[in-house]
Amino acid sequence: MRLTFSLSRFASVMALAASISLGGQAMAQPPMPHSGGGAMPQLTEEQKQLMMEVQQTQQQLQKTQQQLRAIQDQVYQSSPELVKQKEALQQAISKKMSSGGYDADKELKELKAMVAKYNNGQEKPTQAEIQDFQKRQQDFQMRQQQAFQDPDIRAKAEALQQNLKSKIEASGPKGKALIESLEKQIKKLESLRAKAATMMKK
């Protein structure tokens, strides 16, 4: 089993999701429609088509984000003020997450080290190690989400996101087109998620 670690909301801000509120949810799988009970439900053709469309949209979104990251890296290299703004946000999030002896920076390094250790194929984690990793990751993400409830952090994140978006759009037609594509893909994915949720209620 491969260990996977995502930074949910923080990653979404850095990846230029159209908005903070949408960004953390955009890459999440929509709820699978079901009719209740413990058995795996038999999907209708409409549901299968919806799931396929969700997967295709997610793949398109991931591709757009990858292309944006390349431009984003160039923007950061040429904009020291943006780098300072990003670092200030990271420090604010880490500080907010760290309480009661919890060190967010240290925990992040250890979680990443665990992923690197077990995903190189040379060593497999035990069931206990997998459970420990999952528990620690959930705690990290919960603290992260709580940090984003802080008005000051949200303001910092929104300011960084807007400045970064403006810089990317100003970098040329490709950057502007990618931003537009990203926003459309996120809206489409949210619409599909809503449709899937409606199917669950039937």
Side-chain angles (χ1 to χ4, degrees):
M1 177 179 178
R2 291 178 62 85
L3 299 181
T4 57
F5 180 62
S6 69
L7 299 186
S8 60
R9 282 178 173 267
F10 182 66
S12 72
V13 172
M14 296 301 113
L16 263 187
S19 70
I20 294 174
S21 59
L22 284 179
Q25 303 169 7
M27 298 307 296
Q29 289 283 354
M32 181 70 74
H34 64 85
S35 56
M40 192 69 181
Q42 186 69 33
L43 297 180
T44 65
E45 286 303 316
E46 183 183 9
Q47 290 169 339
K48 289 178 182 178
Q49 186 175 355
L50 175 61
M51 293 302 106
M52 186 176 297
E53 190 173 0
V54 167
Q55 291 178 346
Q56 290 174 346
T57 304
Q58 286 179 323
Q59 290 171 357
Q60 292 169 355
L61 181 56
Q62 288 173 341
K63 184 177 179 180
T64 301
Q65 286 180 323
Q66 288 174 353
Q67 292 175 308
L68 271 172
R69 286 191 192 101
I71 299 177
Q72 175 180 299
D73 290 343
Q74 295 173 1
V75 167
Y76 275 125
Q77 289 175 7
S78 62
S79 305
E81 71 279 6
L82 272 185
V83 174
K84 291 181 180 179
Q85 193 176 1
K86 182 180 73 170
E87 290 175 347
L89 172 61
Q90 291 172 329
Q91 291 171 3
I93 293 172
S94 178
K95 183 177 180 180
K96 192 69 177 178
M97 290 173 64
S98 301
S99 62
Y102 187 90
D103 187 329
D105 289 335
K106 180 181 178 182
E107 185 70 359
L108 177 58
K109 289 179 182 178
E110 291 181 359
L111 287 170
K112 285 185 174 181
M114 291 172 70
V115 172
K117 176 182 178 181
Y118 294 120
N119 286 357
N120 61 15
Q122 296 180 355
E123 188 176 349
K124 292 184 179 180
T126 64
Q127 188 61 35
E129 287 171 330
I130 291 173
Q131 291 176 348
D132 176 61
F133 174 86
Q134 291 174 337
K135 183 177 182 299
R136 290 172 65 178
Q137 179 178 225
Q138 288 173 359
D139 186 29
F140 185 93
Q141 292 177 335
M142 180 186 69
R143 287 174 178 269
Q144 196 176 67
Q145 290 170 1
Q146 290 174 345
F148 266 88
Q149 300 305 312
D150 183 89
D152 182 59
I153 288 178
R154 289 186 67 86
K156 282 184 170 65
E158 288 168 355
L160 172 61
Q161 181 176 289
Q162 188 57 48
N163 290 341
L164 187 55
K165 178 181 176 181
S166 297
K167 290 277 188 181
I168 290 177
E169 289 177 333
S171 68
K174 183 178 179 181
K176 188 173 182 179
L178 285 171
I179 290 289
E180 291 175 354
S181 295
L182 181 73
E183 293 176 345
K184 288 179 181 178
Q185 288 161 358
I186 287 177
K187 287 180 180 179
K188 181 178 180 180
L189 195 53
E190 287 298 304
S191 175
L192 292 172
R193 283 167 54 86
K195 188 174 181 180
T198 300
M199 282 186 177
M200 286 182 63
K201 298 176 182 178
K202 292 182 178 180

